[in-house]
Structure formats: C-alpha cells, structure tokens
C-alpha cells in the first residue's frame, strides 16, 4: 500500500514538473514573436509590448545603449475598439498596408474634438500626444482620451495658474524635458512657459512684453518665440522669430542668452559663428542625433544647422535662391516658407513646407530633398503623391516613426506612415525591446530589419 502511494506521488510530481516546464518553454519561445515586417520597419511583440524599430536601433542595442531604460507605459500588441492607436494606424478603421521600400508614404486624417487650429504638436515617451491650440494645451492618451490639461478652450491671455485657470496666447511649440515637464513657446505672449503633468502653469522666462534682452527669468525679452527643444544636457533652445536669432535658456532659473544671430542687427542671411550669423524669420526647431539644432527659416526659405557647443551656423538645404518648389539636390531644391521641422532617428529632416502644401524630407547628409507627401492645396488622404494638405503648420514624430502633421486650415491632425525611424529620444525607449529579444534563445522570431 505504501509502495503504491509512493509510486503515485512520484508520478504526480513528474507530471506536475513536466507540465510546468512545457508551459515555461512555450511562453519563452513566444516571448518575442515576430508579428509584422516591412522592408525598413517592423513591429515586434515582446512580453506584451509593441515597438517599432529599424537598423539604427539594432545597432544601438548591439552597442549596449539603453541598458537602464524602462518604459513607463508599454504599448499594446493589438489596437482594437476606438483606441487612438487604431485610428492612427488607419483612421478608416482598417489596418494600413505595410509601406514598401523607399518612402511610399500613406496619409490618413484624425479629427480632434477641439476648438480652433492645431498650433503645435509633440509626443511623449509613453506615447501620449500633446496638442496645442491658440489658447489651450490638450493631451491625447494612447487609448484616444482627449483631455484639456491647461488653458481655456477659446479665451486667450497671459496668466499662470492651475489647469483651466491659466491662459496662453498662440503657443507655437511644445517639448517635454527629461523630468516630464512641458515647455511651451508662448508666441504672442513672448514668453516661455512651464507646464507640469498636473497642468500647473508658470512662466520660466520673459514677462509678456515684446523685446530683445538677455537676462534671468522675467528680465529677459523675446519676440514671438516659435520653436523650442531641450538639449541632452537639459539646456533649452528657442528660435526667437521676431528677433531673428536662436536663444538658449538655463532650465533652473530661466537665464537667457543668445547662441546665434543678433537680435540688434536685424534680418539677413549669413552663415557664421554666434552673433555674426544672420537669420530671417527662424521658426521650426529640432534636435538631431548629434545634438545639433536644425532650424526652419521661413523668410529665407531654407534649413540651417546650429552647433550647440559654439553656435556655429551652416546652411543644410537651400541657399537663398528664391521661393518656390523643386525637389532635388539641396543646393537647387526650393521651399516656400518652411514652417516646422522634425528629425528622425536617421537624421532625416522632415519639413512642413507651408505654402507648397507639402511635407519634404532632407536626407540625413543634407544632400537631397524629396517630397514625402502633398502637392496642391486640399484635404485628401491616400498615398503620398496624391495626398493633399492645406498649409501644414506643425509636425512631430511618434514612437513608431509616424509623422503627425497639424493641417492648419482643416483644424485636424494628419498621420503619415513612411518607414521613418523614431526620433532619438523615443528611439532609445525601444532599445529595451531588442534587449529582451537578444536574451531569448528564440530571438530569430524578433530578428527585425537585421
């Protein structure tokens, strides 16, 4: 009897161990499942997380970049129902086709239930969209929830405060610093504002009066600040549109100094070092992967590069040869009022070409300019060449390499899928996915774009 009980116990234990080992191996094998592949872009699902990656991120992982990175809000493997991710993928409710080699852009529309034009866009590392109108700042969560974070739906003004008690006047750009604080170029108020995650608004620099003056906090003066980015060391950079220069701001006390251009010298066009350089209507601002500033210059219709270390200005694309439209080599291609820019993880510069109603791309080395999407004025979704915009005003890249475009005269956000790499700060958050895959003996299931 004891022998039978002993044998039954042994059999039960063996079966228990076998089942659990089998389940573990099954889960481990499919921990990193290769689900969806494009020519240049792929989506992997690793332990329930999704991420878009490319060769650049593979190289980053191999170099050991991002060892300590964590994702504050992992993505979802599926996007059913009415989630914003599903709408972004294809606002018609169907899954978008995978882009083929090259740009092969595809444009869709997303109409937001907000009042007024979309004046600026940004995407946080957890996938939340930040959307500004002329008087308010909204968030759009990954599941599509639109929330008024700060400001008023229709009333402009200049006032610090909590949430809807605060006032803005035509914010032109927004960025998120390393601590999660939002920084806003409040253009018509001639100030830089800070917004916490809970919607508390304060003024970092400027005091609402137009002018040109370096100084600390409210002693500084701006004239219609248009673009804003945060450098790798936390320094804030601003395109001071009306003063035709680029300013830098200390994040702790709001101390403002001029990095390039001279607000006292007036408009012009000249490459050079620091105050000897000249701009005419600097607007959109982005940071490339080398920590250089990329400036969209409206009135000179060109793209400039500014080194953050010394303020040296060079022309990336289009010397001053007149306004118009032409793709081609950077020295002969033309823009007509480039309004906003974004830089992807491969240092390709995406340009909102305002009066040409196009999204242009300047290749990473700055040697060639091509049209990603757009042409004549209108609102048409579809393949890039047949898509239509009406004065694209702002752009931002999301964590999947999709380009968000504020279509000014249609008060909506357009979404372009074109096999772009996520920008550097969002690309880094995806390295974690590759590291998980690399540790798996079944990593062939996630051998994305290798």
């Amino acid at each position: 009897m004891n022998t039978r009980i002993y044998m039954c116990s042994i059999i039960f234990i063996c079966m228990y161990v076998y089942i659990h080992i089998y389940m573990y191996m099954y889960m481990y094998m499919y921990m990193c499942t290769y689900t969806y592949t494009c020519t240049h872009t792929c989506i992997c699902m690793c332990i329930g997380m999704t991420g878009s990656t490319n060769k650049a991120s593979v190289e980053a992982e191999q170099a050991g970049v991002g060892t300590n990175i964590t994702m504050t809000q992992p993505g979802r493997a599926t996007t059913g129902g009415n989630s914003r991710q599903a709408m972004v993928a294809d606002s018609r409710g169907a899954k978008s086709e995978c882009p083929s080699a090259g740009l092969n852009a595809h444009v869709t529309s997303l109409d937001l239930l907000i009042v007024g034009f979309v004046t600026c866009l940004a995407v946080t590392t957890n996938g939340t969209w930040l959307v500004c109108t002329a008087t308010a700042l909204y968030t759009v969560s990954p599941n599509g929830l639109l929330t008024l974070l700060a400001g008023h739906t229709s009333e402009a003004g200049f006032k610090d405060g909590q949430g809807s008690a605060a006032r803005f006047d035509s914010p032109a750009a927004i960025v998120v610093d390393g601590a999660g604080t939002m920084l806003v170029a409040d253009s018509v108020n001639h100030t830089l504002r800070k917004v916490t995650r809970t919607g508390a608004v304060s003024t970092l620099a400027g005091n609402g009066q137009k002018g040109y003056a370096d100084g600390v906090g409210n002693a500084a003066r701006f004239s219609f600040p248009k673009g804003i980015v945060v450098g790798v060391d936390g320094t804030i950079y601003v395109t001071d549109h009306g003063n035709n220069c680029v300013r830098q701001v200390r994040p702790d006390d709001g101390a403002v100094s001029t990095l390039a251009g001279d607000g006292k010298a007036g408009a012009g066009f000249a490459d050079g070092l620091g105050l000897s350089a000249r701009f005419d209507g600097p607007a959109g601002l982005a940071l490339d992967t080398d920590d250089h500033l990329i400036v969209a210059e409206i009135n000179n219709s060109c793209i400039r590069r500014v080194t953050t270390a010394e303020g040296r200005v060079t022309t990336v694309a289009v010397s001053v040869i007149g306004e118009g439209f032409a793709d081609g080599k950077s020295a002969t291609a033309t823009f007509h009022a480039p309004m906003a820019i974004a830089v992807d993880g491969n240092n390709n510069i995406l340009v909102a070409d305002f009066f040409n109603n196009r999204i242009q791309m300047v290749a990473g080395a700055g040697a060639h300019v091509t049209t990603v999407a757009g042409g004549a004025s209108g609102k048409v979704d579809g393949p890039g060449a047949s898509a239509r915009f009406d004065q694209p005003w702002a752009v931002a890249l999301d964590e999947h390499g999709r380009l968000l475009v504020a279509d000014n005269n249609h008060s909506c956000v357009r979404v372009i899928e074109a096999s772009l790499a996520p920008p550097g700060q969002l690309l880094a958050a995806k390295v974690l996915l590759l590291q998980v895959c690399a540790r798996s003996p079944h990593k062939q299931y996630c051998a994305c774009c290798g």
Side-chain angles (χ1 to χ4, degrees):
M1 184 67 176
N2 290 336
T3 302
R4 293 174 60 185
I5 293 175
Y6 175 78
M7 290 300 295
C8 287
S9 299
I10 293 297
I11 293 172
F12 176 83
I13 292 171
C14 289
M15 291 180 63
Y16 180 88
V17 172
Y18 174 80
I19 290 171
H20 279 74
I21 290 176
Y22 179 81
M23 291 175 63
Y24 173 79
M25 291 178 64
Y26 182 87
M27 292 174 65
Y28 199 61
M29 179 178 295
Y30 291 96
M31 179 184 295
C32 185
T33 305
Y34 185 52
T35 60
Y36 190 71
T37 306
C38 308
T39 305
H40 291 150
T41 303
C42 58
I43 298 174
C44 299
M45 183 177 70
C46 303
I47 319 181
M49 297 184 293
T50 61
S52 175
T53 185
N54 51 41
K55 188 175 181 180
S57 59
V58 174
E59 292 170 348
E61 188 278 329
Q62 291 172 344
V65 177
T67 303
N68 297 319
I69 291 173
T70 59
M71 296 184 66
T72 56
Q73 183 171 339
R76 296 173 176 81
T78 59
T79 54
N82 61 351
S83 72
R84 190 203 68 196
Q85 290 179 331
M87 291 188 289
V88 170
D90 191 332
S91 61
R92 299 162 300 180
K95 189 174 184 179
S96 295
E97 294 182 357
C98 185
S100 61
L103 292 176
N104 197 29
H106 192 277
V107 180
T108 56
S109 296
L110 183 62
D111 294 309
L112 300 173
L113 299 178
I114 56 178
V115 178
F117 300 127
V118 176
T119 61
C120 56
L121 292 166
V123 180
T124 70
T125 54
N126 70 356
T128 297
W129 292 3
L130 304 175
V131 180
C132 295
T133 66
T135 60
L137 167 59
Y138 297 85
T139 63
V140 184
S141 69
N143 64 5
L145 180 63
L146 177 70
T147 303
L148 174 65
L149 181 64
H152 191 275
T153 56
S154 60
E155 181 182 307
F158 177 54
K159 182 181 179 183
D160 290 343
Q162 178 65 43
S164 60
R167 293 292 181 270
F168 299 94
D169 196 347
S170 301
I174 185 170
V175 69
V176 184
D177 69 12
T181 300
M182 288 149 276
L183 302 163
V184 179
D186 196 358
S187 187
V188 177
N189 282 325
H190 314 293
T191 56
L192 304 184
R193 317 288 292 278
K194 294 174 66 174
V195 185
T196 68
R197 295 176 183 178
T198 60
V201 179
S202 59
T203 300
L204 176 64
N207 71 346
Q209 297 178 2
K210 177 183 174 183
Y212 175 68
D214 289 342
V216 178
N218 61 13
R221 296 290 183 272
F222 299 92
S223 178
F224 302 103
K226 290 286 188 183
I228 188 167
V229 297
V230 177
V232 293
D233 63 352
T235 301
I236 303 162
Y237 299 95
V238 180
T239 46
D240 195 348
H241 180 77
N243 287 321
N244 299 300
C245 61
V246 178
R247 318 288 289 277
Q248 56 188 2
V249 185
R250 283 204 307 252
D252 54 348
D253 60 358
V256 178
S257 58
T258 301
L259 176 66
D262 187 348
K264 298 178 181 178
F269 177 80
D271 289 344
L273 181 64
L275 298 183
S276 67
R278 295 292 178 268
F279 299 91
D280 191 354
L285 188 63
L287 197 70
D288 70 12
T289 59
D290 299 316
D291 203 35
H292 296 150
L293 303 174
I294 308 297
V295 181
E297 198 173 350
I298 294 177
N299 296 334
N300 281 330
S301 288
C302 65
I303 308 300
R304 317 287 288 278
R305 177 182 289 114
V306 184
T307 62
T308 55
E310 57 181 359
R312 183 172 296 279
V313 179
T314 55
T315 301
V316 176
V318 192
S319 296
V320 183
I321 58 176
E323 299 168 341
F325 165 72
D327 284 347
K329 294 181 179 180
S330 61
T332 58
T334 55
F335 300 101
H336 193 176
M339 182 66 66
I341 54 175
V343 177
D344 78 356
N346 292 326
N347 272 349
N348 295 310
I349 303 168
L350 289 308
V351 182
D353 196 352
F354 188 72
F355 286 119
N356 283 325
N357 300 302
R358 294 171 183 263
I359 303 301
Q360 308 272 70
M361 185 176 80
V362 183
H368 200 272
V369 180
T370 56
T371 296
V372 176
S377 175
K379 184 184 179 184
V380 179
D381 289 344
S386 60
R388 295 292 179 263
F389 301 90
D390 196 348
Q391 298 184 341
W393 184 268
V395 291
L397 279 158
D398 76 359
E399 72 276 21
H400 300 297
R402 294 176 296 219
L403 186 69
L404 313 182
V405 181
D407 200 348
N408 187 48
N409 287 340
H410 292 128
S411 300
C412 68
V413 176
R414 314 290 294 281
V415 183
I416 303 177
E417 298 188 68
S419 298
L420 301 169
Q425 68 272 25
L426 298 180
L427 181 64
K430 302 302 172 188
V431 174
L432 176 64
L433 301 178
L434 290 180
Q435 290 175 332
V436 172
C437 293
R439 297 188 187 107
S440 169
H442 306 286
K443 61 184 177 183
Q444 69 270 20
Y445 289 102
C446 209
C448 302
C449 310

